[in-house]
Structures are given as structure tokens and as C-alpha cells.
Amino acid sequence: SKSIASMPPVEKKDEDEGVEQVHPFKGVDKAHVIQEARIFNDTQVDATKCINVMTKLLYLLGKGDNFSSKESTESIFFPMTKLFQSKDEKLRRMMYLVIKELKPDSDCVIIVTSTLTKDMNATNDLYRANAIRVLCTITDTAMLTAIERYLKQAIVDKQPLVSSAALVAGMKLMRTNGEGVKRWGNEINQAAADKAA
């Protein structure tokens, strides 16, 4: 899949002047996007506007812009966590992507872990799978023990979307916490046996 930063510019045809190249993110800068992120604090959530701001954030992160700890925490991360109250699925998916790419610091990880853990136990399988993917990206070794039980349950889940997300999470976590993931052997064997049957 292509990153947003590598997308070709859109061609805009003008009969008088020929063909002009228009980049969909022309003029997007970090300071402006941080200002726009204030929309996350609005009492009435406008999912479309929030998604547009998050798209710009992902564009900036994808092209290599760095946000200071204060910018990412106070201006983006904390206001964005309020959006977890929204039931809009597209907005939720964008939130997962931004959290994963923003890579919050350890203080923020503790806060978002509880919300993502709730999503791992939700009835919506898409929420469950995406929460697992994000958690495995932002979790450090100390936090892994707090979510290990949920990951083990997800491995043996009947929904392939959820169980495959947990298995991939385990593969990624092997790099940083191999000993912890090795304890999941029984669940992995059970999942393999269930899929073979």
C-alpha cells in the first residue's frame, strides 16, 4: 500500500492554461494542523471534520514530521481520546491509525490502554481487531502483562479477524518480549487445532 506522502499530485485541467498539478495536501503544515486539532475538544463531534484533521496528521507523520512531546500529548493525543465516545466507525478507525503512528509516551499509553482494552472486549469485531493491532504497537514490556490475558483470549476467538490480529500481534511482540509470548503456546496450539478441524 502506498503512503499518503508518496501519492502523486492530482491533475486539474484548466482550458485556458493547460494542465496544472494540484497536491491534495499542498500547504498543510504542522502548526496549522495542531490548531485544527482543537476540533477534537468540541462538545458536538463532527466526525467528518475530525477525520480530515486526522488525515492531515497522518500525512505529516508519514512524511517524517516530528511532533514534540507537548504537541503530541496536549494538543493531539488527550483531546483525541475524547473521541472514543463517538460511535462513528470511520472516526474510530482513524483514531486507531493516529494513535499507532503517533506512538504516545508511556504516560499516555497507560491512559489509552484502558480504552483499547474495552474495545478488545466490545461486540464489534472490527473494534476488537484494531484495538489489538494498536496495543501491540504501543505496548511496552511492563504493560504487556496487563493485557496478556486479553491477547490470549483473542488468539482462540472464533472470529478469524480477531484471532489473526492477535497472532500477528504475538509475532510483533516476539521481537521485544519473546519470553512473554512463549507462554501463549497453549492458546496458539488450540487456535491452530480449531482452524484445522
Side-chain angles (χ1 to χ4, degrees):
S1 74
K2 292 183 177 182
S3 74
I4 294 173
S6 66
M7 289 177 59
V10 178
E11 286 188 6
K12 180 181 175 187
K13 295 185 180 187
D14 185 343
E15 292 180 20
D16 297 331
E17 298 182 33
V19 177
E20 177 187 345
Q21 299 288 327
V22 179
H23 196 284
F25 296 105
K26 184 177 181 179
V28 172
D29 64 48
K30 186 170 76 167
H32 187 254
V33 173
I34 289 172
Q35 287 290 95
E36 284 186 271
R38 289 181 177 177
I39 194 170
F40 301 156
N41 285 319
D42 289 354
T43 51
Q44 198 68 3
V45 174
D46 184 335
T48 303
K49 288 181 180 178
C50 290
I51 288 169
N52 287 336
V53 172
M54 288 183 203
T55 302
K56 292 175 186 177
L57 279 167
L58 289 170
Y59 166 73
L60 292 172
L61 290 166
K63 74 175 194 141
D65 283 14
N66 292 317
F67 291 85
S68 71
S69 179
K70 183 176 181 177
E71 290 169 336
S72 64
T73 303
E74 294 177 18
S75 301
I76 300 167
F77 181 77
F78 282 127
M80 193 175 66
T81 57
K82 295 174 186 173
L83 300 177
F84 272 107
Q85 297 172 15
S86 173
K87 300 294 181 205
D88 188 286
E89 287 190 10
K90 291 178 183 176
L91 178 62
R92 181 72 60 108
R93 290 169 62 191
M94 287 299 285
M95 289 168 53
Y96 291 133
L97 287 172
V98 172
I99 291 169
K100 197 166 100 173
E101 294 301 317
L102 202 55
K103 296 178 181 74
D105 61 24
S106 58
D107 293 336
C108 296
V109 168
I110 293 169
I111 293 165
V112 79
T113 297
S114 65
T115 303
L116 292 173
T117 302
K118 286 179 191 171
D119 282 359
M120 285 176 65
N121 294 309
T123 55
N124 185 323
D125 293 329
L126 189 62
Y127 287 3
R128 294 168 63 208
N130 284 328
I132 291 167
R133 289 184 188 102
V134 174
L135 273 172
C136 84
T137 304
I138 65 172
T139 300
D140 60 4
T141 305
M143 289 300 296
L144 181 59
T145 55
I147 63 166
E148 186 173 16
R149 175 174 57 101
Y150 300 108
L151 290 171
K152 285 179 174 183
Q153 289 172 349
I155 289 171
V156 295
D157 196 273
K158 300 293 182 216
Q159 283 295 329
L161 181 67
V162 175
S163 60
S164 64
L167 289 168
V168 171
M171 290 171 43
K172 289 181 179 179
L173 291 169
M174 278 293 285
R175 297 180 202 139
T176 57
N177 193 352
E179 289 303 313
V181 175
K182 285 180 185 178
R183 294 190 302 257
W184 305 355
N186 291 338
E187 288 78 9
I188 294 170
N189 288 334
Q190 182 183 343
D194 288 348
K195 302 301 182 236

